[in-house]
Amino acid sequence: MALTLDSSAITHGIQLAVAPVFLLTAVAGMIGAVASRLARIIDRARVVEDRAGADPELLARAHGELAELRLRGRLANGCIGLLTLCAFLIGVTIILLFLGETTDFQGSRLAVAGFLAGVLSFLLALVCFLAETLLATRLLNFPLLRAGAKDREKR
Protein backbone atom coordinates (compact mmCIF):
# COMPACT_ATOMS: atom_id res chain seq x y z
CA MET A 1 0.00 0.00 0.00
CA ALA A 2 1.88 3.03 -1.27
CA LEU A 3 1.07 6.42 0.21
CA THR A 4 0.36 9.07 -2.40
CA LEU A 5 1.72 12.46 -1.44
CA ASP A 6 -0.11 14.23 -4.26
CA SER A 7 -1.81 17.21 -2.62
CA SER A 8 -4.84 17.08 -4.92
CA ALA A 9 -5.46 13.41 -4.05
CA ILE A 10 -5.14 14.19 -0.34
CA THR A 11 -7.48 17.17 -0.68
CA HIS A 12 -10.03 15.06 -2.54
CA GLY A 13 -9.68 12.32 0.09
CA ILE A 14 -10.38 14.80 2.86
CA GLN A 15 -13.41 16.14 0.98
CA LEU A 16 -14.74 12.60 0.55
CA ALA A 17 -14.13 11.72 4.17
CA VAL A 18 -15.70 14.90 5.57
CA ALA A 19 -19.21 14.16 4.29
CA PRO A 20 -19.87 11.32 6.78
CA VAL A 21 -18.60 13.56 9.60
CA PHE A 22 -21.94 15.39 9.53
CA LEU A 23 -23.62 12.13 10.51
CA LEU A 24 -21.15 11.85 13.40
CA THR A 25 -22.32 15.26 14.60
CA ALA A 26 -25.93 14.08 14.62
CA VAL A 27 -24.92 10.89 16.44
CA ALA A 28 -23.04 12.87 19.10
CA GLY A 29 -26.08 15.08 19.66
CA MET A 30 -28.36 12.07 19.95
CA ILE A 31 -26.02 10.34 22.42
CA GLY A 32 -26.12 13.45 24.57
CA ALA A 33 -29.91 13.62 24.48
CA VAL A 34 -30.39 9.92 25.22
CA ALA A 35 -27.77 9.96 28.00
CA SER A 36 -29.68 12.85 29.58
CA ARG A 37 -32.92 10.87 29.38
CA LEU A 38 -31.19 7.85 30.91
CA ALA A 39 -29.96 10.00 33.80
CA ARG A 40 -33.50 11.23 34.40
CA ILE A 41 -34.81 7.64 34.34
CA ILE A 42 -32.25 6.64 36.96
CA ASP A 43 -33.07 9.66 39.11
CA ARG A 44 -36.79 8.91 38.92
CA ALA A 45 -36.19 5.26 39.86
CA ARG A 46 -34.27 6.37 42.94
CA VAL A 47 -37.10 8.70 43.97
CA VAL A 48 -39.70 5.96 43.48
CA GLU A 49 -37.63 3.50 45.54
CA ASP A 50 -37.20 6.04 48.35
CA ARG A 51 -40.90 6.88 48.47
CA ALA A 52 -41.97 3.24 48.34
CA GLY A 53 -39.70 2.39 51.24
CA ALA A 54 -41.26 5.16 53.33
CA ASP A 55 -44.88 4.27 52.51
CA PRO A 56 -45.91 0.59 52.24
CA GLU A 57 -49.17 1.56 50.50
CA LEU A 58 -47.21 2.86 47.52
CA LEU A 59 -45.21 -0.36 47.20
CA ALA A 60 -47.44 -2.02 44.56
CA ARG A 61 -47.58 1.12 42.42
CA ALA A 62 -43.83 1.57 42.85
CA HIS A 63 -43.14 -1.97 41.56
CA GLY A 64 -45.11 -1.24 38.39
CA GLU A 65 -43.41 2.08 37.77
CA LEU A 66 -39.96 0.63 38.47
CA ALA A 67 -40.62 -2.14 35.92
CA GLU A 68 -41.52 0.48 33.30
CA LEU A 69 -38.48 2.58 34.23
CA ARG A 70 -36.28 -0.51 33.85
CA LEU A 71 -37.68 -1.09 30.36
CA ARG A 72 -37.15 2.57 29.45
CA GLY A 73 -33.58 2.34 30.77
CA ARG A 74 -32.90 -0.74 28.67
CA LEU A 75 -34.27 0.99 25.57
CA ALA A 76 -32.09 4.03 26.27
CA ASN A 77 -29.04 1.79 26.76
CA GLY A 78 -29.82 -0.03 23.52
CA CYS A 79 -30.16 3.31 21.75
CA ILE A 80 -26.78 4.49 23.09
CA GLY A 81 -25.19 1.18 22.05
CA LEU A 82 -26.57 1.47 18.51
CA LEU A 83 -25.47 5.10 18.27
CA THR A 84 -21.98 4.14 19.42
CA LEU A 85 -21.87 1.36 16.83
CA CYS A 86 -23.04 3.86 14.21
CA ALA A 87 -20.26 6.30 15.16
CA PHE A 88 -17.68 3.51 14.99
CA LEU A 89 -18.88 2.36 11.56
CA ILE A 90 -18.92 5.90 10.21
CA GLY A 91 -15.39 6.41 11.57
CA VAL A 92 -14.24 3.26 9.78
CA THR A 93 -15.96 4.52 6.62
CA ILE A 94 -14.05 7.81 6.84
CA ILE A 95 -10.75 5.95 7.24
CA LEU A 96 -11.53 3.66 4.29
CA LEU A 97 -12.52 6.57 2.05
CA PHE A 98 -9.38 8.49 2.94
CA LEU A 99 -7.11 5.46 2.45
CA GLY A 100 -8.79 4.62 -0.85
CA GLU A 101 -8.13 8.13 -2.11
CA THR A 102 -4.55 8.51 -0.88
CA THR A 103 -3.21 4.96 -1.38
CA ASP A 104 -3.76 2.08 -3.78
CA PHE A 105 -6.03 0.38 -1.21
CA GLN A 106 -9.32 -0.67 -2.81
CA GLY A 107 -11.78 -0.34 0.06
CA SER A 108 -14.73 1.30 -1.65
CA ARG A 109 -17.01 -1.72 -1.18
CA LEU A 110 -16.06 -1.90 2.49
CA ALA A 111 -16.69 1.84 2.81
CA VAL A 112 -20.15 1.50 1.28
CA ALA A 113 -20.98 -1.46 3.52
CA GLY A 114 -19.69 0.38 6.59
CA PHE A 115 -21.67 3.50 5.77
CA LEU A 116 -24.90 1.58 5.12
CA ALA A 117 -24.44 -0.43 8.33
CA GLY A 118 -23.87 2.82 10.20
CA VAL A 119 -27.04 4.37 8.79
CA LEU A 120 -29.00 1.20 9.62
CA SER A 121 -27.65 1.35 13.16
CA PHE A 122 -28.71 5.01 13.39
CA LEU A 123 -32.22 4.14 12.20
CA LEU A 124 -32.53 1.32 14.75
CA ALA A 125 -31.38 3.75 17.46
CA LEU A 126 -34.14 6.13 16.38
CA VAL A 127 -36.68 3.31 16.76
CA CYS A 128 -35.39 2.63 20.30
CA PHE A 129 -35.61 6.35 21.08
CA LEU A 130 -39.18 6.51 19.79
CA ALA A 131 -40.19 3.45 21.84
CA GLU A 132 -38.64 4.97 24.97
CA THR A 133 -40.41 8.30 24.50
CA LEU A 134 -43.73 6.56 23.85
CA LEU A 135 -43.28 4.60 27.09
CA ALA A 136 -42.41 7.82 28.92
CA THR A 137 -45.59 9.55 27.75
CA ARG A 138 -47.66 6.50 28.63
CA LEU A 139 -46.40 6.85 32.17
CA LEU A 140 -47.70 10.42 32.40
CA ASN A 141 -50.13 10.41 35.26
CA PHE A 142 -51.69 13.66 36.40
CA PRO A 143 -53.89 13.02 39.44
CA LEU A 144 -54.96 16.67 39.51
CA LEU A 145 -56.32 16.44 35.96
CA ARG A 146 -58.16 13.21 36.76
CA ALA A 147 -59.68 14.79 39.87
CA GLY A 148 -60.78 17.79 37.80
CA ALA A 149 -62.40 15.51 35.22
CA LYS A 150 -64.27 13.61 37.94
CA ASP A 151 -65.48 16.90 39.40
CA ARG A 152 -66.80 17.98 35.98
CA GLU A 153 -68.58 14.65 35.53
CA LYS A 154 -70.38 15.11 38.86
CA ARG A 155 -71.74 18.48 37.77
Side-chain angles (χ1 to χ4, degrees), residues 44-69:
R44 176 65 184 160
R46 288 182 180 147
V47 167
V48 169
E49 282 182 332
D50 289 344
R51 287 185 184 163
D55 187 357
E57 293 177 14
L58 296 176
L59 196 57
R61 249 186 15 208
H63 280 290
E65 186 172 350
L66 286 172
E68 296 232 2
L69 288 169

Side-chain angles (χ1 to χ4, degrees), residues 50-89:
D50 289 344
R51 287 185 184 163
D55 187 357
E57 293 177 14
L58 296 176
L59 196 57
R61 249 186 15 208
H63 280 290
E65 186 172 350
L66 286 172
E68 296 232 2
L69 288 169
R70 179 187 296 134
L71 179 57
R72 286 181 57 204
R74 287 180 177 159
L75 285 168
N77 275 331
C79 184
I80 290 171
L82 287 165
L83 289 168
T84 303
L85 177 63
C86 173
F88 177 79
L89 291 168

